[in-house]
Amino acid sequence: MINNVNDAPIVCNNDRASTDCMPVFTVDDIYTNINSEGFNNITKDLGSLANVANSYIVDQANEQVPDRQVYDWDASVDSSCVAFSVEVNSLNSLIVYENMSNEKGGTCTITMELTDDGTVNNTATAFTVDYSVAPVNDAPEISLQDANGQNLVVNDAGDRATGEGEFITMTEDDTNADNLTWDLLPLMSDIDHDVPSELTWTVTPTEQCVYTNYFTTEIVGTDLVFTLIPDATTNAKVWEQDFMNDNGIHQVRPNDQTFCAINLILQDTPLAPAHTPNYDPSVMPIANYSQGTDSVVMYVTIDNVAEKVADYSLDTISGVDFSGITNIMTGTEVPVSVNINAGGDEGPYTYDHMLAVTFFTDGHTDDQYTRTSYYNVPDYGETLTVDEDVYITKDTTRVEVSMDVLTCLNNPCDLTVPSTERFQTDSPESHRANNGGTQGAAWSNPGQYGVNGTQTSERRPMLQDSYWCNNRLTTLSLEAAEASADWGKCNEYAAGQGSFGATNQTLPSVVRTIGASAVPSFAPSIVAVSLTGLFVSALAFSSRRADDEEEMLESTSIEEDEMAVSPVIATILMVAITVVLSGVIYVWASSLADTDVKGVPRVTFDIEDVNSFDADQGHWRITVQSSETDLATQAVEVRVFYVDASGEAQVVTVNLADTNDVYGFNPENSDSMVTFVDQVNSEGDDRVSTFNTGDTVFVRTHDSEGTPLEDVTITLNYAPNVGQGAQLRTWQGLSYDVSA
């Protein structure tokens, strides 16, 4: 009898019994017993029965009857294995546990041990199997907050990002490096690469924003460094957007939002790092290194800084200066001036600009008298005086001044080009209210940029002047102005409702004239006197002759007196005496009568020279000291005879009612050779101009070229358009250097 002796079991993969018996725990394509990182753990049934499919136990068949043997598996790896660990559970399943902290992969030898329930020879020869873990590159990670929820993005000045760490804010035109440098190191992590040496940051735009319109970026080490575009801001209001600067791309809100979104991208190395050789396919055949990437969207706000803007204002205290002119003829262009003060921000300002000052009067329909002129702006804290002529008629009730501030296309402003090419275009026109796409009247919304149903002007008035209600002025009272339909209150774009300037000034009075008639000649008056004298003499002679005849009849004894006066001589003397007496009586009676313009006026004058050596102000002042009657101003003319510097004789004839710098003017406010200030007669509200006592005529002592005048003759004449005139007075031999 042969006793059965238990044979030791054999560890062998029955499916590979004909080759190498190697147990196969995993299959990846054609590669066995290798797995890519990230499997966590795998379980493989080793088998509990011998000699069956999918079992790694081979044993004698006779030992399996009448009862199958019971087998027990065990597995182990060397303690130096960092890639994984193993164990066999109670169900004889091998479990391979990945070392999740290992990112470099690795190959370890698993020692398989098997025993049966025999009493002898029950332990199989240990079988070793190499098992590999191929590394898989994990992408780097960006963390905006730490475990406590604190935002990690901080600049060198200590300012932290807001929101959940994705919002960073800087200030327009800031050049402080600490404010513009943001540390990204706290955001970086990567379990497969060295941080930060093997990681790279890049910045790319988003569809929401072209960030280079507002800033540029540079990665310096682990710092994100911004360089701000000059005058760029992401949250400027619409009225602050500067279209003179690259058509406004640096101030327009990105996609109507107050921030510019950028992609912040973190990448590891494009090639497998040398410190992890298991990425090499020759070492790990299934290894396939792929560069890892992580990204976040950062929202960058460039806070707007208000531009320095001046405040130019029309001075309501000084108001409209009428150059001392108080009385004028209707249709006179009166020289006026206004003061413009420069306040607001001191500057410097981004662009050069000029003032467009417009003067307007009512009482006529001629647009040529609405005049706009352009002026350089006054320096901060200074005052600019603007001079202009305004047209005033008998129907004029007010003078209005408006001032616009225009940005020049060139810096400094190019004064050689016409105004239509000098300034930023403004279409549709600014300062008009926007009523649902329909523009209101001029100055209905001062400071409003032009906008209608289809267009928006690129001009932004609030960048040119900080307050617009003080850019208009009227001579009306405030109450009358605001009650006027074409003036009203100031509805300023930024500040809201206010008041335009109102000075409550009296305009120069518009006078009327009296009728001008012909002046009779002196000759008819003398003839009349002579005829009267002859008539009286004839009567006297006739009476004397009758007396003589009576005396001859009464006495013929009178002796002839040789000393007596001849009757003929006596008659002649009587006639002469009568003529003289008649003339005296006539003149005396005429002086007592109320002589009208038809009579020959008796006018006395006084003349004196004033600053006669001064080429600008020197003049002879002729004052009417007395006049027996009012003469029509429009019929009085002055003639000045002189020889100019070239030796040519000159005659200047001026009518005292001339509206062109003569009537109502004087040498201080007119360049005319002759000017006239009237002592106006007032009859209630009626102002009447006549040439009479108190009136003053001014004649310059230098001609328009500045040549001093010598041997000058001045005549003052009464010259009506119809009929005969008269010369009122002549001055001869006047010279600038000789007292008049």
Side-chain angles (χ1 to χ4, degrees):
M1 178 178 179
I2 299 174
N3 291 327
N4 183 35
V5 177
N6 184 52
D7 294 300
I10 299 171
V11 177
C12 180
N13 182 353
N14 284 300
D15 294 335
R16 298 173 64 110
S18 61
T19 54
D20 56 9
C21 284
M22 183 183 71
V24 176
F25 308 131
T26 57
V27 176
D28 189 330
D29 196 13
I30 63 173
Y31 303 105
T32 57
N33 291 336
I34 188 170
N35 208 346
S36 295
E37 172 191 325
F39 62 86
N40 194 0
N41 63 76
I42 60 169
T43 300
K44 178 62 178 177
D45 184 17
L46 301 177
S48 296
L49 300 176
N51 308 322
V52 297
N54 298 321
S55 175
Y56 296 159
I57 304 172
V58 174
D59 206 351
Q60 296 297 321
N62 63 342
E63 294 177 356
Q64 309 305 315
V65 292
D67 297 315
R68 284 187 172 274
Q69 285 187 301
V70 176
Y71 298 93
D72 186 28
W73 285 95
D74 196 9
S76 63
V77 293
D78 189 81
S79 60
S80 62
C81 180
V82 297
F84 56 88
S85 61
V86 295
E87 73 171 6
V88 177
N89 64 16
S90 60
L91 299 177
N92 283 337
S93 294
L94 174 68
I95 303 175
V96 179
Y97 294 100
E98 180 183 7
N99 180 4
M100 302 302 294
S101 64
N102 174 54
E103 297 297 328
K104 299 182 181 297
T107 299
C108 297
T109 299
I110 302 174
T111 300
M112 307 293 298
E113 297 178 302
L114 177 64
T115 61
D116 59 23
D117 56 356
T119 58
V120 295
N121 297 326
N122 61 348
T123 301
T125 301
F127 196 102
T128 58
V129 179
D130 288 340
Y131 192 84
S132 299
V133 177
V136 174
N137 184 38
D138 294 292
E141 293 185 358
I142 302 172
S143 300
L144 297 178
Q145 292 181 316
D146 63 15
N148 298 319
Q150 178 171 268
N151 295 338
L152 295 175
V153 181
V154 182
N155 67 12
D156 288 357
D159 301 321
R160 287 189 181 275
T162 57
E164 295 183 355
E166 73 275 32
F167 289 94
I168 60 178
T169 301
M170 291 167 286
T171 303
E172 177 186 350
D173 291 332
D174 193 354
T175 57
N176 187 322
D178 288 345
N179 297 332
L180 305 178
T181 303
W182 298 80
D183 184 10
L184 302 181
L185 180 60
L187 284 64
M188 304 167 65
S189 64
D190 193 332
I191 56 179
D192 295 318
H193 292 77
D194 294 336
V195 178
S197 61
E198 293 182 332
L199 301 183
T200 303
W201 288 102
T202 55
V203 177
T204 63
T206 64
E207 292 184 357
Q208 183 262 352
C209 175
V210 180
Y211 73 82
T212 52
N213 288 341
Y214 306 94
F215 51 82
T216 59
T217 61
E218 181 182 7
I219 300 297
V220 180
T222 59
D223 288 336
L224 171 61
V225 180
F226 289 89
T227 299
L228 304 185
I229 302 298
D231 295 325
T233 174
T234 61
N235 59 3
K237 296 180 176 61
V238 177
W239 56 266
E240 296 177 292
Q241 294 169 2
D242 180 9
F243 284 88
M244 289 279 289
N245 185 0
D246 286 343
N247 203 34
I249 62 174
H250 305 302
Q251 286 84 34
V252 173
R253 292 187 174 188
N255 201 29
D256 289 331
Q257 294 173 305
T258 60
F259 52 77
C260 178
I262 59 173
N263 289 315
L264 194 58
I265 300 171
L266 181 63
Q267 292 179 301
D268 53 26
T269 56
L271 300 177
H275 57 68
T276 306
N278 288 327
Y279 284 122
D280 187 347
S282 66
V283 177
M284 293 282 182
I286 67 170
N288 183 20
Y289 179 83
S290 178
Q291 185 178 29
T293 300
D294 193 14
S295 66
V296 293
V297 177
M298 300 296 293
Y299 302 95
V300 181
T301 296
I302 308 299
D303 263 342
N304 180 57
V305 174
E307 300 294 329
K308 290 185 177 181
V309 181
D311 177 22
Y312 302 104
S313 59
L314 290 165
D315 193 332
T316 57
I317 303 301
S318 57
V320 179
D321 185 349
F322 291 96
S323 306
I325 296 173
T326 56
N327 300 300
I328 59 171
M329 295 287 178
T330 188
T332 296
E333 293 190 50
V334 179
V336 299
S337 64
V338 293
N339 290 330
I340 297 172
N341 301 320
D345 297 325
E346 186 170 356
Y349 309 118
T350 305
Y351 302 106
D352 197 8
H353 45 277
M354 296 186 73
L355 304 179
V357 183
T358 300
F359 289 80
F360 166 83
T361 57
D362 65 345
H364 58 88
T365 58
D366 198 336
D367 289 340
Q368 69 169 316
Y369 296 115
T370 298
R371 292 171 173 149
T372 299
S373 299
Y374 301 91
Y375 302 89
N376 290 320
V377 298
D379 292 334
Y380 177 80
E382 299 296 324
T383 296
L384 169 69
T385 298
V386 172
D387 301 313
E388 187 56 271
D389 292 340
V390 297
Y391 187 66
I392 297 179
T393 71
K394 62 182 179 60
D395 297 317
T396 298
T397 63
R398 66 186 186 275
V399 175
E400 295 176 1
V401 186
S402 61
M403 173 181 62
D404 208 349
V405 185
L406 304 178
T407 298
C408 297
L409 294 174
N410 299 97
N411 202 4
C413 201
D414 187 356
L415 302 181
T416 64
V417 299
S419 59
T420 54
E421 302 173 13
R422 190 183 309 166
F423 306 112
Q424 183 183 20
T425 56
D426 187 27
S427 179
E429 190 177 64
S430 295
H431 306 307
R432 294 176 179 266
N434 177 25
N435 303 314
T438 301
Q439 286 199 294
W443 294 102
S444 55
N445 196 187
Q448 164 73 57
Y449 57 89
V451 58
N452 59 25
T454 59
Q455 289 179 285
T456 298
S457 174
E458 293 184 352
R459 180 189 174 194
R460 293 295 182 266
M462 297 305 297
L463 294 178
Q464 300 163 327
D465 199 338
S466 59
Y467 185 62
W468 287 93
C469 286
N470 55 19
N471 288 47
R472 296 187 77 201
L473 180 149
T474 179
T475 54
L476 295 175
S477 68
L478 181 61
E479 181 180 7
E482 293 189 342
S484 172
D486 55 359
W487 189 261
K489 288 185 174 293
C490 174
N491 186 28
E492 214 256 5
Y493 176 74
Q497 194 170 84
S499 295
F500 292 118
T503 61
N504 194 24
Q505 288 180 262
T506 300
L507 304 185
S509 298
V510 177
V511 302
R512 66 175 178 85
T513 58
I514 62 174
S517 301
V519 177
S521 168
F522 283 96
S525 299
I526 295 174
V527 171
V529 171
S530 300
L531 291 175
T532 302
L534 289 174
F535 178 72
V536 172
S537 298
L539 292 177
F541 179 75
S542 175
S543 174
R544 179 61 183 169
R545 183 176 180 180
D547 290 341
D548 288 345
E549 289 177 352
E550 290 179 1
E551 290 177 0
M552 289 179 66
L553 291 173
E554 292 175 357
S555 176
T556 58
S557 62
I558 299 177
E559 296 181 359
E560 185 174 355
D561 186 356
E562 294 180 357
M563 298 298 293
V565 178
S566 166
V568 175
I569 294 174
T571 300
I572 293 173
L573 289 174
M574 186 176 293
V575 170
I577 293 170
T578 302
V579 169
V580 171
L581 287 175
S582 298
V584 171
I585 293 170
Y586 176 82
V587 172
W588 174 74
S590 297
S591 66
L592 293 178
D594 185 13
T595 305
D596 61 14
V597 293
K598 295 182 180 180
V600 177
R602 295 183 61 199
V603 186
T604 61
F605 300 92
D606 178 64
I607 185 170
E608 62 176 324
D609 50 283
V610 179
N611 299 326
S612 58
F613 285 86
D614 188 338
D616 293 326
Q617 299 293 326
H619 60 273
W620 291 289
R621 181 168 59 199
I622 301 171
T623 305
V624 180
Q625 289 189 315
S626 65
S627 177
E628 293 179 332
T629 187
D630 291 341
L631 297 178
T633 304
Q634 72 274 22
V636 179
E637 67 178 22
V638 176
R639 289 189 177 184
V640 183
F641 301 83
Y642 67 95
V643 177
D644 63 17
S646 63
E648 296 290 331
Q650 302 291 335
V651 179
V652 176
T653 302
V654 176
N655 187 292
L656 294 187
D658 190 347
T659 60
N660 187 21
D661 294 346
V662 176
Y663 183 87
F665 291 78
N666 61 63
E668 292 185 359
N669 52 37
S670 172
D671 293 329
S672 175
M673 172 70 80
V674 178
T675 50
F676 175 59
V677 173
D678 192 6
Q679 190 72 29
V680 174
N681 299 325
S682 297
E683 300 174 6
D685 293 334
D686 191 20
R687 308 278 286 175
V688 181
S689 171
T690 61
F691 187 76
N692 206 330
T693 303
D695 293 348
T696 305
V697 177
F698 304 91
V699 180
R700 288 187 173 275
T701 57
H702 294 68
D703 66 11
S704 59
E705 302 298 323
T707 303
L709 304 183
E710 298 178 318
D711 194 20
V712 176
T713 296
I714 301 174
T715 65
L716 207 154
N717 310 297
Y718 186 73
N721 290 331
V722 178
Q724 188 173 359
Q727 190 171 93
L728 302 179
R729 182 64 192 269
T730 299
W731 293 269
Q732 294 179 323
L734 298 174
S735 293
Y736 78 100
D737 56 351
V738 177
S739 179

